[in-house]
């Protein structure tokens, strides 16, 4: 950390990331605290986060946009499960409507941040990725909206003999613009949302697409549009109709999740029945679509209008459940001894999870070890002052929680201003409180990184809620004052008051 450099600028709030969470944070800051100076740092040349980064065929949401969209901005498109270009246009509209562009600093990547309790500020080391220049900023608060995965690399396990393969290997996170797969044999390795999106999107152009999965995933056909939401907007108008559609879909999503968790065996049977009805007669459903875990132990994959199953029925796509022994010159050798020939192999094998953009944090000279911290209300870290972060739901639309967190953050700033505080630090009353992983989720990308992430406690406010309705009470209704949230005034602030 280059602490000897003079800060060129002080900001009340520094938001990290201009994706869906950072744009939302900007909106709420402008609405509730127009007097505060803030900037949004974005390492890339464009805003939009995930929806600008990923360019693979068919990329879309796996949540409906009436809940994945912002509460403050109606989703007007007829696609409820929407393509990436439509989502990106929606985000860019939000930026324009709130005049956020002057606040977004592209090509700015936060490298590290150091908190000073005496001065009640963060010194933030920033790299200009376009020029290599280093800039030091000062901020009263950091709001991390950097997402949860590495943008520079996806996850690809080690495959024996990969270098022998004579065709093309691509990862969805780094899709080549000039990749030509027309009429070719394509193998997609993986069984998550990305693979389920890629298979039908590529099947219309490729000669054949084979999805090779080690473990089956729950895949459910869902309508791409939302006829009831369209009706509500026609009857009640855009604003009110959107609010009603949003409430309807929140209720529906919550009900489905609760039913699956309470009645896993019945849920499994229902899902199997629906899937079997979409596949050819005699198809080995249990081999390829009967996971060894219960519904919502991992996130369910959505197939808009059943496109994934249509691709299988048409004969242009197929599923193979097996383990990969090695790559060969012509494709993949499976542990069963079967070889699958391919011209293009897509490794849709997941993400590399990364908290806070991978930056180094220190508090009064002491490094912050994330695994030693506990999340407060799912938005702050124990022992770390004036740092908030945005992590959405794993069992519902990500943005549902982001809006509540941003609201609560703004209420927190209002309380501090009203009482003359400049420092806010969560501290557990019981330092020996039992903890468990922050993301209590069975997905592979979570399991690989769980030891480097913050923890959550065994009671409120240290539990990370995955219930929207509980969070409405916790984050929107309940007071921001809490016995385990310590407010104070720094020495610099106290001297300023006395003089």
């Amino acid at each position: 950390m280059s602490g000897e450099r003079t800060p060129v600028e002080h900001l009340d709030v520094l938001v990290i990331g201009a994706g869906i969470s950072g744009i939302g944070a900007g909106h709420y800051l402008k609405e509730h605290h127009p007097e505060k100076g803030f900037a949004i740092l974005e390492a890339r040349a464009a805003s939009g986060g995930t929806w600008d980064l990923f360019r693979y065929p068919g990329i879309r949401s796996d949540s409906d946009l009436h809940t994945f969209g912002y509460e403050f901005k109606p989703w007007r498109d007829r696609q409820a499960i929407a393509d990436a270009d439509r989502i990106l246009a929606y985000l860019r509209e939000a930026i324009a409507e709130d005049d956020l562009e002057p606040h977004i600093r592209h090509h700015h990547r936060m490298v590290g941040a150091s908190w000073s309790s005496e001065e009640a500020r963060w010194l933030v080391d920033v790299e200009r990725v376009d020029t290599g220049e280093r800039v030091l900023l000062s901020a009263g608060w950091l709001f991390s909206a950097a997402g949860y995965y590495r943008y520079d690399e996806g996850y690809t396990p080690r495959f024996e003999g990969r270098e022998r393969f004579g065709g093309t290997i691509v990862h969805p996170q780094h899709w080549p613009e000039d990749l030509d797969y027309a009429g070719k044999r394509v193998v997609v390795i993986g069984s998550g949302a990305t693979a389920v999106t890629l298979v039908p999107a590529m099947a219309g152009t490729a000669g054949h697409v084979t999805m090779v999965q080690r473990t089956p995933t729950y895949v459910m056909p869902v309508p791409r549009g939302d006829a009831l939401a369209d009706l509500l907007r026609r009857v009640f108008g855009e604003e009110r109709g959107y609010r009603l559609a949003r409430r309807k879909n929140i209720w529906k999503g919550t009900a489905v999740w609760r039913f699956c968790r309470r009645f896993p065996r019945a849920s499994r049977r229902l899902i199997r029945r629906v899937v079997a009805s979409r596949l050819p007669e005699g198809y080995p459903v249990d081999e390829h679509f009967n996971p060894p875990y219960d519904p919502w132990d991992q996130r369910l994959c959505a197939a808009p209008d059943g496109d994934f199953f249509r691709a299988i029925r048409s004969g242009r796509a197929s599923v193979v459940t097996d383990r990969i022994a090695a790559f060969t010159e012509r494709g993949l050798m499976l542990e069963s001894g079967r070889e699958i020939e391919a011209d293009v192999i897509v490794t849709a094998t997941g993400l590399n999870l990364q908290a806070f953009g991978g930056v180094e944090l220190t508090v009064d000279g002491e490094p912050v070890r994330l695994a030693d911290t506990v999340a407060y209300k799912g938005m702050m870290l124990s022992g770390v002052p004036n740092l908030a972060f945005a992590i959405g739901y794993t069992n519902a639309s990500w943005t549902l929680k982001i809006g509540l967190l941003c609201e609560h953050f703004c209420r927190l700033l209002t309380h501090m201003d009203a009482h003359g505080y400049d420092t806010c630090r969560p501290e557990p009353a019981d330092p020996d409180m039992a903890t468990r992983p922050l993301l209590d989720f069975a997905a592979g990308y979570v399991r690989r990184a769980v030891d480097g992430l913050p923890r959550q406690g065994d009671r409120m406010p240290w539990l990370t809620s995955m219930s929207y309705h509980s969070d409405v009470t916790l984050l929107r209704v309940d007071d921001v004052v809490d016995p385990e949230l310590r407010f104070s005034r720094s020495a610099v602030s106290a001297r300023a008051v006395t003089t």
Side-chain angles (χ1 to χ4, degrees):
M1 188 79 184
S2 303
E4 73 277 6
R5 286 175 285 177
T6 303
V8 296
E9 182 181 8
H10 177 78
L11 297 154
D12 295 307
V13 181
L14 190 60
V15 179
I16 313 303
I20 195 166
S21 301
I23 295 167
H27 166 86
Y28 285 98
L29 284 168
K30 290 202 75 169
E31 179 181 18
H32 297 286
H33 288 281
E35 79 287 355
K36 292 194 180 296
F38 74 93
I40 303 173
L41 301 188
E42 172 54 56
R44 303 178 68 249
S47 56
T50 293
W51 303 106
D52 180 73
L53 174 70
F54 285 97
R55 304 297 176 91
Y56 60 81
I59 177 172
R60 54 167 173 77
S61 66
D62 63 351
S63 300
D64 75 278
L65 263 294
H66 299 96
T67 57
F68 191 72
Y70 299 117
E71 186 171 13
F72 59 82
K73 178 174 171 55
W75 175 256
R76 295 181 169 89
D77 198 290
R78 290 186 63 84
Q79 281 192 359
I81 304 295
D83 296 331
D85 59 343
R86 299 175 187 234
I87 299 172
L88 189 58
Y90 171 85
L91 295 178
R92 301 271 167 82
E93 268 188 14
I95 291 172
E97 290 167 2
D98 280 315
D99 195 24
L100 290 179
E101 195 60 49
H103 296 271
I104 301 175
R105 303 185 185 183
H106 296 289
H107 301 293
H108 283 62
R109 181 173 70 89
M110 185 170 76
V111 178
S114 177
W115 169 262
S116 166
S117 293
E118 182 179 359
E119 298 180 332
R121 68 174 182 177
W122 288 96
L123 288 180
V124 183
D125 201 1
V126 178
E127 178 190 13
R128 286 287 307 264
V129 297
D130 53 343
T131 65
E133 177 189 1
R134 297 292 276 268
V135 178
L136 193 64
L137 299 177
S138 171
W141 273 85
L142 292 182
F143 187 99
S144 178
Y148 62 98
Y149 65 91
R150 289 187 60 164
Y151 272 33
D152 59 335
E153 65 175 26
Y155 173 72
T156 302
R158 183 182 180 277
F159 291 112
E160 185 70 30
R162 175 183 172 130
E163 67 283 353
R164 296 201 303 265
F165 179 59
T168 302
I169 302 174
V170 298
H171 191 284
Q173 194 164 325
H174 304 283
W175 196 269
E177 290 185 8
D178 59 350
L179 180 65
D180 179 15
Y181 56 88
K184 296 183 179 180
R185 299 164 299 178
V186 177
V187 168
V188 177
I189 303 174
S191 59
T194 302
V196 170
T197 299
L198 278 165
V199 168
M202 300 182 76
T205 303
H208 187 82
V209 181
T210 305
M211 186 173 90
V212 177
Q213 60 178 8
R214 183 175 58 184
T215 307
T217 298
Y218 291 106
V219 183
M220 279 292 289
V222 296
R224 180 176 282 275
D226 189 329
L228 182 53
D230 294 341
L231 176 63
L232 290 171
R233 289 203 307 274
R234 287 198 300 271
V235 173
F236 296 103
E238 289 288 348
E239 299 285 340
R240 190 178 178 196
Y242 176 69
R243 290 196 300 271
L244 291 171
R246 185 178 173 88
R247 289 177 189 172
K248 181 262 295 184
N249 286 355
I250 289 171
W251 177 86
K252 182 177 73 173
T254 301
V256 169
W257 182 80
R258 286 179 175 171
F259 181 85
C260 288
R261 302 311 289 166
R262 186 171 181 181
F263 305 105
R265 295 178 66 182
S267 301
R268 182 190 288 267
R269 288 195 298 270
L270 284 171
I271 294 171
R272 187 193 183 284
R273 186 179 305 164
V274 170
V275 169
S277 70
R278 296 297 185 106
L279 291 167
E281 187 175 351
Y283 190 89
V285 178
D286 290 325
E287 179 181 354
H288 302 309
F289 293 99
N290 189 15
Y293 53 85
D294 288 333
W296 279 111
D297 282 353
Q298 297 186 33
R299 196 176 177 97
L300 274 65
C301 292
D305 291 337
D307 59 357
F308 182 80
F309 303 107
R310 283 204 313 274
I312 294 173
R313 284 203 313 272
S314 72
R316 301 187 68 88
S318 56
V319 178
V320 173
T321 304
D322 203 338
R323 290 179 176 269
I324 297 171
F327 278 46
T328 67
E329 291 82 356
R330 298 181 299 177
L332 299 178
M333 180 62 69
L334 306 180
E335 289 190 355
S336 62
R338 176 181 176 184
E339 184 176 17
I340 300 179
E341 295 186 357
D343 304 300
V344 178
I345 295 178
V346 182
T347 55
T349 45
L351 308 165
N352 277 322
L353 196 141
Q354 177 178 260
F356 306 107
V359 303
E360 296 179 1
L361 303 173
T362 64
V363 173
D364 295 326
E366 293 295 321
V368 175
R369 186 174 180 271
L370 293 180
D372 293 336
T373 65
V374 186
Y376 171 84
K377 292 186 178 179
M379 64 174 290
M380 296 180 71
L381 298 178
S382 60
V384 182
N386 291 30
L387 171 70
F389 61 90
I391 296 291
Y393 294 120
T394 57
N395 64 343
S397 289
W398 174 272
T399 328
L400 283 177
K401 186 158 191 173
I402 301 305
L404 295 175
L405 292 174
C406 290
E407 283 184 36
H408 194 80
F409 174 63
C410 289
R411 291 174 59 212
L412 187 57
L413 296 181
T414 299
H415 174 81
M416 293 176 69
D417 289 346
H419 294 84
Y421 299 127
D422 60 11
T423 303
C424 171
R425 182 195 309 247
E427 293 287 356
D430 177 12
D432 297 321
M433 173 179 58
T435 64
R436 56 190 174 90
L438 175 67
L439 299 175
D440 199 5
F441 202 48
Y445 66 90
V446 174
R447 293 199 303 268
R448 289 193 299 270
V450 69
D451 291 339
L453 298 178
R455 309 279 292 174
Q456 63 172 304
D458 61 356
R459 59 178 175 80
M460 287 298 185
W462 302 99
L463 276 173
T464 300
S465 168
M466 285 294 152
S467 166
Y468 174 77
H469 294 98
S470 296
D471 279 334
V472 167
T473 300
L474 177 70
L475 300 172
R476 177 178 287 170
V477 178
D478 288 353
D479 200 329
V480 297
V481 177
D482 186 276
E484 295 177 276
L485 189 61
R486 314 293 170 82
F487 297 99
S488 61
R489 184 181 296 118
S490 67
V492 168
S493 178
R495 286 198 298 270
V497 170
T498 58
T499 57

